[in-house]
Amino acid sequence: MAISGLGTHSISLFFYVIFATFLHKAQGQNLVTNNVSVVEGETAIISCRVKNNDDSVIQLLNPNRQTIYFRDVRPLKDSRFQLVNFSDNELLVSLSNVSLSDEGRYVCQLYTDPPQEAYADITVLVPPGNPILESREEIVSEGNETEITCTAMGSKPASTIKWMKGDQPLQGEATVEELYDRMFTVTSRLRLTVSKEDDGVAVICIIDHPAVKDFQAQKYLEVQYKPEVQIVVEFPEGLTREGENLELTCKAKGKPQPHQINWLKVDDDFPSHAVITGSDLFIENLNKSYNGTYRCVASNLVGEAYDDYILYVYDVLTTTPPPTNTTISAFQDSRADGAPQKIDHAVIGGIVAVVVFAMLCLLIVLGRYFARHKGTYFTHEAKGADDAADADTAIINAEGGHNNSDDKKEYYI
């Protein structure tokens, strides 16, 4: 009876040890794999790896749970699957010419009890087509707004579009359209107001997608702008004196090039014998009647602009540096809208008027001051006459005043 009980206990212990050993081995085997992202048409590598394998069988299944490889044997009749490496610890398989239909969850399976499984998700990336760059107008005038669109067609996942103008990042407005099989088309619209400095600057559309790098398209801005005008003194180099000649050249550039350049004298008639040849102005035998502001006006399809030269004719013997003979190019931008710029005679007149007014006020104040402090002459005799009730009393008071010579005084008030 005791022997029989001992035998039953030993058998139970034996099976417990076997089960524990098996369970330890099963838990000690670790099956791992990795997710894979692959560009359509390229090759994906699927890896099934086992740590502490005890010769258990490794196999790879497709998303439909069909066996691709059982150990190193390929039951599936798809030659795109090729064995890269097989050992007790690894099953490495390549899938060439990947298509969207290959996307899904692949299963690495280890024949243990119970079987172990690890999952590798294959994601197929579809790069977009060449970006399509279009603009609302090819030529833009300065100060106007233009719109440029960039389209990235047929990608998976959806592309991200960025903009640059030169080295300056810009923000566009994107719309995403979903197509079949989780494919997307993205369009970004960029609106910007251009200036003449933008002429010839590249606007770049950059496509950001995991399947491609440095994918971009660019367009060079073509901006038309008003002329830039500058008057250059060709002769003389120094003072403009009576009897000498004056030669000025008007230099103007714009886009398009100025088609017309005109000379005029501001607020006065042009000298009758002045000679204009194209952009050059020539005046001979200068005299002081020619003093004034001479203006060169250039125009093109966008608008007009001008520059001024103030002429002051000096006496023949004058050697002082010229204070006024100059071109007023510093005001070119403010005058580019065509508003005339005149010599500020009004300002000078205003200053003179203020000075005259101040002098008049000073004279009035001084006059009032002297009027209020003007001296009044009194004698003692006169004072007695003022205080008397009648003529006789006045004479007596006056005579009484003479008796006391010490009281005879004169007062100034």
Side-chain angles (χ1 to χ4, degrees):
M1 190 71 178
I3 296 175
S4 175
L6 182 59
T8 303
H9 178 73
S10 300
I11 293 172
S12 299
L13 183 60
F14 173 75
F15 280 107
Y16 174 78
V17 171
I18 292 177
F19 176 76
T21 302
F22 175 81
L23 183 61
H24 173 73
K25 289 183 177 181
Q27 290 178 345
Q29 297 178 109
N30 186 16
L31 181 64
V32 294
T33 186
N34 299 101
N35 295 330
V36 180
S37 293
V38 59
V39 177
E40 184 181 31
E42 296 185 0
T43 300
I45 303 295
I46 308 170
S47 174
C48 300
R49 301 181 303 278
V50 182
K51 294 182 179 179
N52 305 318
N53 192 7
D54 62 347
D55 296 331
S56 297
V57 176
I58 307 172
Q59 69 171 350
L60 177 64
L61 310 178
N62 66 13
N64 297 323
R65 299 195 73 87
Q66 297 171 323
T67 301
I68 300 173
Y69 268 93
F70 183 85
R71 295 177 64 88
D72 57 350
V73 178
R74 177 168 56 83
L76 189 67
K77 304 301 181 183
D78 188 343
S79 60
R80 295 182 305 146
F81 291 98
Q82 294 294 322
L83 185 65
V84 178
N85 183 51
F86 173 74
S87 67
D88 292 339
N89 298 319
E90 183 181 49
L91 175 62
L92 197 63
V93 178
S94 66
L95 171 60
S96 60
N97 195 22
V98 175
S99 65
L100 283 174
S101 61
D102 296 321
E103 192 172 71
R105 173 165 288 184
Y106 289 74
V107 182
C108 291
Q109 196 173 72
L110 181 65
Y111 269 93
T112 57
D113 191 12
Q116 294 187 46
E117 290 186 350
Y119 305 101
D121 292 325
I122 290 185
T123 301
V124 179
L125 307 176
V126 180
N130 291 329
I132 301 172
L133 201 59
E134 297 176 319
S135 58
R136 188 171 59 193
E137 53 269 309
E138 292 299 322
I139 302 175
V140 193
S141 296
E142 63 173 334
N144 291 346
E145 183 184 75
T146 187
E147 180 179 286
I148 305 174
T149 61
C150 183
T151 304
M153 299 184 63
S155 67
K156 178 179 174 297
S159 301
T160 300
I161 297 179
K162 301 177 182 178
W163 292 95
M164 298 285 290
K165 185 182 76 172
D167 56 358
Q168 175 189 1
L170 300 177
Q171 184 66 43
E173 182 180 345
T175 56
V176 180
E177 179 185 2
E178 186 171 359
L179 308 175
Y180 59 90
D181 291 339
R182 291 171 290 172
M183 301 282 285
F184 299 90
T185 291
V186 181
T187 301
S188 180
R189 289 177 173 82
L190 176 67
R191 295 181 178 90
L192 70 158
T193 302
V194 299
S195 64
K196 64 182 180 182
E197 289 78 16
D198 293 324
D199 184 45
V201 175
V203 174
I204 308 170
C205 165
I206 303 172
I207 308 298
D208 188 9
H209 191 273
V212 291
K213 293 182 179 179
D214 299 327
F215 206 33
Q216 63 185 37
Q218 65 182 18
K219 171 184 174 58
Y220 291 94
L221 292 172
E222 186 169 352
V223 181
Q224 293 184 334
Y225 51 90
K226 299 175 186 178
E228 297 174 328
V229 186
Q230 181 184 16
I231 296 176
V232 178
V233 181
E234 301 291 350
F235 184 85
E237 294 183 356
L239 297 176
T240 48
R241 297 184 177 88
E242 287 186 294
E244 292 186 346
N245 299 332
L246 174 67
E247 184 178 354
L248 304 177
T249 297
C250 181
K251 295 185 177 181
K253 65 176 182 178
K255 190 171 184 179
Q257 276 296 113
H259 60 270
Q260 187 173 3
I261 296 178
N262 294 323
W263 284 94
L264 58 92
K265 188 177 182 183
V266 178
D267 298 334
D268 202 354
D269 295 331
F270 212 72
S272 58
H273 66 283
V275 178
I276 299 175
T277 305
S279 60
D280 297 333
L281 170 63
F282 181 77
I283 304 175
E284 63 179 359
N285 194 20
L286 292 174
N287 61 64
K288 292 184 180 295
S289 66
Y290 299 154
N291 289 347
T293 302
Y294 293 82
R295 175 170 295 171
C296 171
V297 182
S299 59
N300 61 10
L301 296 176
V302 182
E304 70 175 28
Y306 63 86
D307 191 20
D308 286 343
Y309 173 81
I310 299 176
L311 172 64
Y312 183 85
V313 179
Y314 289 85
D315 296 331
V316 175
L317 299 179
T318 301
T319 58
T320 306
T324 55
N325 284 7
T326 179
T327 57
I328 317 177
S329 58
F331 299 100
Q332 171 132 5
D333 291 339
S334 63
R335 300 193 310 266
D337 56 359
Q341 180 74 21
K342 299 181 180 179
I343 301 173
D344 283 331
H345 297 297
V347 175
I348 298 174
I351 295 173
V352 173
V354 170
V355 173
V356 172
F357 179 74
M359 293 178 66
L360 288 175
C361 291
L362 181 61
L363 290 175
I364 292 171
V365 171
L366 291 175
R368 290 176 62 88
Y369 175 80
F370 286 118
R372 294 179 63 179
H373 293 77
K374 181 178 181 182
T376 304
Y377 183 83
F378 290 99
T379 65
H380 192 69
E381 295 84 351
K383 181 176 181 181
D386 289 340
D387 295 335
D390 51 36
D392 294 335
T393 306
I395 294 172
I396 294 171
N397 290 340
E399 290 175 351
H402 286 289
N403 292 333
N404 189 359
S405 60
D406 294 336
D407 294 334
K408 186 177 181 181
K409 297 179 180 180
E410 295 180 353
Y411 297 89
Y412 289 95
I413 299 175

